[in-house]
Every structure is written in C-alpha cells, then in structure tokens.
Amino acid sequence: MSIEVANESGVEVDESALVELAGHVLGRMGINPLAELSILVIDEAAMAELHEQWMGEPGPTDVLAFPMDELRPNSGGRDEDDSPDPALLGDVVLCPHVAAKQAAEAGHSAQDELELLCTHGILHLLGYDHAEPEEHAEMFGLQDELLGAWREVRRKP
C-alpha cells in the first residue's frame, strides 16, 4: 500500500500510527496492496472551507472523504481476468482541532479520536455510509471491529 500523510494543521499528530492504521484497515478489507491512499491533516479554517464547498455546511467538521476510484471491499482489487487493479482510493481529510474537542467529550486521547476518524473516512472511501439505520449499524460495527483489532495489534510487544 502507498499511504501518504500530509500534515498542514500545525498540530503534532502521530503520522506513522495513521499510516499503520490505514494499512491495517485496507488489508483487513481485502484491498489490493498496490492501492494508494492520501491522508491530509488540516486546520479548522481549511476544513471549514472544504466542508462548505463540498457538503454545503458551515464550520469545520472532523473528517471528510473524497473517493477517487470505485473499489469495493473483498474484491481484492482484481478485475475479471484476475489481474491486479491498483487504484487511487482517494483522500481522507482530518481536522485534529475538531478531533481534540470530540476526544475530550468522549474521554479518550486526541490520537485515539484521529484513528477512529481515519478508519471512518477510509470506510467512506470504500463505499460505506451511515444515512440509513441499517447502514449505520453495519458501518459503525465494522469500524469498531477494525479499531478493536488494530488496538490489539498495537498492544502486543
């Protein structure tokens, strides 16, 4: 996997953990190992601008996902003749300022919140949504499962 992180937020985040987490999520979802993902970490003003431009909503949000290619989980990223089909998945955009506020409310660290949001954004790139109750249950259940497995891996020496 090619996973790039660009931190333009002015806030220190554990970029290597985000890369490892993204690799974990994409691997568990059966995404082609040649796939590419970009994670952009930006400040509140830049996030507010993107939120307004793309979602029509004012103010900053925690995470936005901008998919590039259609790629579904467990397809292995292969076409009909079983040849590799590497893809540019898209961009996950995170705002650590909003994440820190949410983390304080939830009682966990800002890094934990960024990891949750990164996982959430990747699932959106893979076509998951949470507009309907059954979609919400599926997406958030999968998000919890992926994060739980990630945290187990991180705890092992």
Side-chain angles (χ1 to χ4, degrees), residues 8-91:
E8 302 172 2
S9 70
V11 174
E12 187 174 324
V13 301
D14 188 343
E15 295 174 23
S16 62
L18 292 176
V19 169
E20 291 174 24
L21 168 67
H24 166 82
V25 169
L26 295 172
R28 294 279 301 239
M29 296 303 293
I31 301 304
N32 186 306
L34 299 177
E36 298 177 22
L37 170 68
S38 171
I39 301 170
L40 179 61
V41 184
I42 60 177
D43 63 22
E44 285 180 294
M47 183 60 101
E49 189 176 313
L50 287 175
H51 197 212
E52 174 70 34
Q53 179 182 358
W54 294 101
M55 305 302 289
E57 297 180 19
T61 190
D62 51 6
V63 60
L64 290 171
F66 297 98
M68 295 295 196
D69 291 340
E70 290 292 321
L71 187 63
R72 294 291 178 246
N74 301 319
S75 69
R78 296 186 175 271
D79 57 25
E80 290 178 14
D81 68 355
D82 204 37
S83 62
D85 181 25
L88 176 61
L89 296 177
D91 302 321

Side-chain angles (χ1 to χ4, degrees), residues 5 12 15 22 35 89 92 95 97 117 122 148-149 155:
V5 176
E12 187 174 324
E15 295 174 23
L89 296 177
V92 172
C95 184
H97 301 88
L117 295 172
I122 292 170
R155 276 196 272 270

